[in-house]
Amino acid sequence: IYALPIFIMKKINSLIKDIYNLFKNDKGCKLKTKDRDAIIDTCVENIREQLTASIMGNDRDATRLRMSNVGYPDRKIWYQCNNTQQEELQDNDPIKFLYGHIIEELVFCFAKLAGHKVTDQQKETKLEGIKGHIDGRIDGVLVDVKSASPISYRKFKDRTLYSDDPFGYIDQLSSYATALKAKEAGFLVMNKISGELCWMGLDELEIADTSYRIKYLKGMVKEATPPAKCYPDVPEGKSGNYKLNTNCFYCSYKKECWADANNGHGLRTFMYKRGPVHLTRVSRVPDVPEVGI
């Protein structure tokens, strides 16, 4: 009697260790050469398509409600869906976005090379009429791949994202999970400086049913005026001046949103050595140059 070989299905809890092992001399990829090369060829082709799309421009309609933005603050969504003028992208921003797409492709490639099952990449989903595309599934678990700065990476690793999630990542992933009736989901995150990986999983109890929020947002964006400001301004030292909250500082709608600042004159921006500071109330004029926003 010959014993049949037993193949053990890998689980996502060993994924990061398995990926790291790919780059160790005594470990490496265990796949057959033809399978390995096919996976790498697919990754390279996907990156080529992302690069081509990036340098040819992106025609995606940014004024519609999508699963990727349902977690944004209400006022920001209203501005976005009502085609409010926003700040132009910095010259380097498209490269930054492309970098994120490349990291996503690499992470899925690493998972496949490490022997994990990857399915449903960019599968379309729909919830309450709103469309979205998931990043994919690994070992049957819904996965959203993120590339993050060291500070943002720490939010996922320490799970402080629950209390500080200005980009609505949890609602975004919850929307995908709700649409697909997924009981497990999580973020696979790469620190884009160090290459470190972490996993922040959500179980069924942590996945919010965002269908109710989507119904609300579909009505909210049709209102004639935007909802209340997302965040209050904060004191700038002990000068009596007030400045934008950090989340508002990085918002591309801040000029329009805070047009009523400084008694209706709008934001006043002062250039410190540490960078620009956008003041909403000026009690004492700073002893640094004032510049246009």
Side-chain angles (χ1 to χ4, degrees):
I1 299 175
Y2 294 94
L4 295 174
I6 299 175
F7 297 97
I8 301 175
M9 178 72 109
K10 291 196 173 186
K11 294 186 178 180
I12 201 165
N13 56 8
S14 70
L15 174 62
I16 293 176
K17 181 180 179 181
D18 292 340
I19 289 177
Y20 288 159
N21 282 340
L22 287 172
F23 300 92
K24 295 181 179 179
N25 291 334
D26 60 336
K27 304 287 184 180
C29 180
K30 303 300 183 183
L31 301 180
K32 294 180 180 179
T33 301
K34 66 175 183 178
D35 295 331
R36 179 200 65 199
D37 290 348
I39 291 169
I40 293 175
D41 288 345
T42 298
C43 176
V44 171
E45 177 61 22
N46 289 342
I47 290 175
R48 187 192 71 81
E49 291 179 0
Q50 291 286 356
L51 175 58
T52 301
S54 295
I55 62 177
M56 295 300 291
N58 189 346
D59 295 328
R60 187 180 70 176
D61 183 7
T63 64
R64 61 185 175 86
L65 191 61
R66 304 183 304 277
M67 284 194 196
S68 59
N69 62 12
V70 297
Y72 287 178
D74 291 1
R75 190 175 176 96
K76 183 174 182 178
I77 293 176
W78 188 94
Y79 281 135
Q80 193 172 55
C81 292
N82 283 275
N83 203 22
T84 304
Q85 184 177 1
Q86 57 181 315
E87 297 174 11
E88 293 184 2
L89 293 175
Q90 299 292 320
D91 289 343
N92 60 294
D93 282 340
I95 299 175
K96 178 176 66 177
F97 301 148
L98 174 61
Y99 188 32
H101 292 310
I102 291 174
I103 287 178
E104 178 184 328
E105 292 295 342
L106 285 175
V107 167
F108 279 123
C109 179
F110 294 158
K112 294 174 186 177
L113 292 173
H116 290 259
K117 185 177 181 181
V118 175
T119 57
D120 294 341
Q121 284 183 260
Q122 295 304 309
K123 178 179 179 179
E124 183 177 282
T125 61
K126 186 181 290 187
L127 183 63
E128 296 297 332
I130 301 301
K131 293 181 180 181
H133 291 84
I134 66 172
D135 287 347
R137 294 180 189 263
I138 299 178
D139 303 324
V141 178
L142 179 62
V143 171
D144 198 3
V145 177
K146 300 293 185 188
S147 60
S149 67
I151 293 176
S152 296
Y153 178 84
R154 183 62 59 182
K155 290 183 181 181
F156 292 97
K157 189 171 184 178
D158 295 343
R159 300 180 71 89
T160 57
L161 188 72
Y162 284 109
S163 58
D164 185 13
D165 185 17
F167 297 107
Y169 290 147
I170 293 176
D171 274 355
Q172 176 187 358
L173 183 55
S174 290
S175 295
Y176 298 145
T178 302
L180 295 171
K181 296 180 173 57
K183 295 183 178 181
E184 287 184 277
F187 300 99
L188 183 56
V189 189
M190 177 182 283
N191 181 325
K192 57 187 176 184
I193 301 301
S194 69
E196 183 182 2
L197 291 163
C198 75
W199 170 254
M200 177 181 165
L202 307 179
D203 60 29
E204 189 173 9
L205 295 177
E206 295 172 314
I207 295 172
D209 183 350
T210 56
S211 58
Y212 301 101
R213 173 160 176 78
I214 290 175
K215 290 178 182 178
Y216 157 74
L217 291 174
K218 289 169 72 174
M220 183 273 292
V221 297
K222 295 177 182 178
E223 296 291 333
T225 57
K229 285 184 171 64
C230 310
Y231 307 98
D233 50 0
V234 296
E236 164 62 6
K238 299 180 180 180
S239 63
N241 296 337
Y242 277 73
K243 65 179 180 180
L244 291 183
N245 174 286
T246 300
N247 293 321
C248 291
F249 178 91
Y250 288 105
C251 179
S252 58
Y253 297 104
K254 57 181 172 283
K255 184 176 181 179
E256 173 66 25
C257 184
W258 289 89
D260 59 346
N262 292 300
N263 296 317
H265 294 287
L267 293 171
R268 295 180 64 180
T269 303
F270 294 85
M271 186 60 67
Y272 289 79
K273 288 184 178 180
R274 65 181 185 273
V277 174
H278 306 298
L279 297 184
T280 58
R281 285 179 272 176
V282 179
S283 297
R284 188 175 70 191
V285 177
D287 190 23
V288 296
E290 183 171 1
V291 297
I293 181 171

